């Protein structure tokens, strides 16, 4: 067994926050000389091309993480990694099962990227109501648990005190040299090229959690007082509903549901403001990425993460979750102010990849 062999287990690799973290960690571990396997229940997704050539991608070829257990066990027998790091609820649970049936001294570390109490209340998956029970039963079986923010850790400890006692907080590895490089690439959107009307940017999956309906309503309210445009980057199952809302609000000429883009950073660097309207999060990467691009932000004060990232409003306005009027007012005020991009970029460095990778390796391989 290679004492520096790390396996990272995740469902698959669409463009999403957890998936970006998985790829970033895998690539950085490999650059530091570790043997790294990126183990995917189903090896598909937009981020697959971002995986470093030195990272070995293992496709278990199962549509559901639950169905991957036998194949994951065979992989562990064959490759015998020193540690298995899981990301995401279902991957976390399956990783603890793998520890139970493992025949070698496998260290299992799981990671929590969301406020699980809110996730169990809001998620539409069939197993949502069983999430607290799963955390109580299986999370304490892990050797260590990483939470992405203090609030996420507190929430998990409230659900399972035993799991909480195994927890450590490590902020996500977000900021690296790639973000400023990509932020400097030319952007082809006409609204961002004109510069004469402020552009608000929303970034994320078009799902109920992100609550883009609130952003649309707040934007329509603000637009009565200030000329502006709104670009929304992302795909998801609420696209049709949001298109209907845009039509109902009469803002079709001022909103662009732009869809997925490979490089959101060049949009952030040229936008006037990035707004996050979520109902709940873990440690929202989009806020950190926006700061790293020098773009001011406004966010709902949702659990968990925005208040930690923005230091109680020091680095960007916070508004109550679901408050359309407050969000519209905060957007208007932020657009009226002058911002120092360098100051925002300095704050983003607190979430650097290098710092996070150091802390992850201390947890994954404590005896290395």
């Amino acid at each position: 067994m290679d004492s520096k062999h790390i396996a990272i287990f995740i469902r698959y690799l669409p463009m999403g926050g957890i998936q970006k973290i998985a790829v970033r960690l895998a690539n950085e571990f490999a650059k530091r000389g570790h043997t790294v396997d990126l183990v995917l229940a189903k090896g598909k997704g937009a981020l697959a091309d971002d995986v470093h050539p030195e990272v070995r991608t293992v496709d278990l070829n199962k549509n559901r993480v639950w169905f991957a257990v036998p194949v994951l066990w065979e992989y562990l027998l064959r490759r015998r990694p020193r540690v298995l790091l899981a990301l995401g609820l279902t991957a976390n649970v399956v990783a603890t099962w793998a520890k139970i049936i493992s025949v070698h001294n496998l260290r299992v570390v799981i990671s929590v990227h969301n406020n699980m109490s809110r996730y169990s209340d809001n998620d539409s998956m069939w197993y949502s109501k069983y999430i607290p029970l799963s955390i109580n039963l299986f999370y304490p079986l892990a050797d260590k648990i990483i939470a992405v923010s203090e609030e996420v850790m507190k929430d998990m400890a409230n659900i399972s005190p035993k799991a909480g006692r195994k927890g450590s907080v490590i902020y996500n590895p977000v900021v690296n040299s790639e973000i400023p490089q990509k932020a400097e690439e030319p952007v082809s959107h006409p609204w961002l090229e004109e510069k004469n009307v402020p552009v608000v940017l929303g970034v994320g999956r078009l799902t109920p959690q992100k609550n883009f309906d609130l952003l649309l309503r707040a934007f329509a309210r603000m637009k009565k007082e200030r000329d502006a445009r709104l670009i929304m980057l992302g795909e998801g199952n609420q696209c049709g509903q949001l298109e209907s809302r845009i039509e109902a609000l009469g803002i079709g000429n001022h909103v662009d549901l732009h869809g997925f883009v490979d490089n959101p950073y060049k949009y952030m660097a040229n936008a006037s403001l990035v707004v996050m309207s979520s109902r709940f999060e873990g440690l929202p990467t989009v806020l950190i990425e926006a700061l790293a691009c020098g773009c001011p932000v406004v966010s709902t004060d949702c659990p968990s993460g925005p208040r930690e990232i923005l230091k109680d409003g020091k680095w960007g306005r916070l508004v109550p979750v679901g408050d359309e009027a407050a969000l519209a007012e905060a957007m208007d005020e932020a657009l009226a102010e002058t911002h120092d991009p360098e100051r925002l970029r300095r704050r983003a460095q607190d979430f650097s990849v290098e710092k996070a990778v150091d802390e992850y390796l201390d947890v994954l391989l404590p005896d290395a």
Side-chain angles (χ1 to χ4, degrees), residues 12-290:
Y12 70 132
L13 295 176
M15 183 63 71
I18 294 178
Q19 292 77 17
K20 284 183 182 179
I21 298 308
V23 170
R24 202 163 283 158
L25 288 171
N27 292 347
E28 292 299 320
F29 293 158
K31 289 176 185 177
R32 296 195 184 194
H34 294 274
T35 302
V36 182
D37 292 347
L38 186 57
V39 184
L40 311 172
K42 188 69 176 178
K44 293 181 179 179
L47 289 172
D49 292 338
D50 292 348
V51 178
H52 194 280
E54 293 185 10
V55 175
R56 184 173 184 265
T57 300
V58 179
D59 182 4
L60 302 182
N61 198 29
K62 299 294 179 182
N63 287 325
R64 294 287 182 267
V65 176
W66 314 110
F67 301 156
V69 175
V71 192
L72 177 63
W73 184 64
E74 291 174 4
Y75 156 80
L76 293 170
L77 279 176
R78 185 176 68 255
R79 291 284 290 172
R80 297 174 67 85
R82 175 65 188 90
V83 61
L84 178 66
L85 169 65
L87 295 91
L89 173 69
T90 53
N92 285 344
V93 172
V94 168
T96 64
W97 296 350
K99 182 173 179 63
I100 294 171
I101 62 178
S102 173
V103 296
H104 72 281
N105 186 26
L106 176 69
R107 180 173 173 82
V108 168
V109 178
I110 62 178
S111 57
V112 186
H113 294 257
N114 248 319
N115 182 292
M116 300 312 295
S117 295
R118 296 300 180 95
Y119 190 67
S120 63
D121 290 339
N122 288 275
D123 197 88
S124 58
M125 301 299 290
W126 63 266
Y127 53 78
S128 296
K129 62 183 178 181
Y130 302 112
I131 288 173
L133 177 62
S134 297
I135 291 173
N136 268 294
L137 287 177
F138 301 116
Y139 278 31
L141 300 176
D143 292 286
K144 200 72 176 177
I145 303 172
I146 293 171
V148 298
S149 70
E150 294 288 349
E151 290 182 56
V152 165
M153 176 60 73
K154 290 176 184 176
D155 176 67
M156 184 188 67
N158 285 336
I159 297 172
S160 171
K162 287 180 68 177
R165 287 192 286 273
K166 291 191 172 185
S168 296
V169 175
I170 301 178
Y171 288 145
N172 283 334
V174 178
V175 181
N176 57 15
S177 59
E178 180 183 274
I179 290 179
Q181 290 171 2
K182 288 190 172 183
E184 291 179 0
E185 293 180 6
V187 64
S188 59
H189 198 289
W191 292 354
L192 294 172
E193 293 170 347
E194 292 172 6
K195 301 289 186 183
N196 58 330
V197 177
V199 175
V200 177
L201 189 67
V203 183
R205 291 172 292 112
L206 308 183
T207 62
Q209 176 190 348
K210 303 301 181 182
N211 202 9
F212 282 121
D213 185 82
L214 171 67
L215 176 55
L216 290 173
R217 288 184 280 112
F219 176 79
R221 178 186 286 250
M222 181 195 72
K223 200 174 180 317
K224 295 175 182 177
E225 307 296 330
R226 175 187 296 276
D227 191 18
R229 290 164 174 164
L230 171 63
I231 300 173
M232 296 168 62
L233 306 180
E235 298 174 341
N237 57 21
Q238 283 202 313
C239 185
Q241 295 176 43
L242 295 175
E243 287 174 343
S244 297
R245 175 66 75 179
I246 290 168
E247 183 178 355
L249 291 169
I251 53 175
N253 292 330
H254 306 277
V255 178
D256 178 17
L257 286 180
H258 199 64
F260 168 78
V261 296
D262 288 319
N263 178 8
Y265 308 124
K266 61 184 180 182
Y267 289 81
M268 293 176 176
N270 287 278
S272 309
L273 181 69
V274 168
V275 178
M276 195 189 80
S277 51
S278 296
R279 292 183 170 95
F280 63 97
E281 288 285 346
L283 188 80
T285 300
V286 66
L287 294 181
I288 300 168
E289 291 173 332

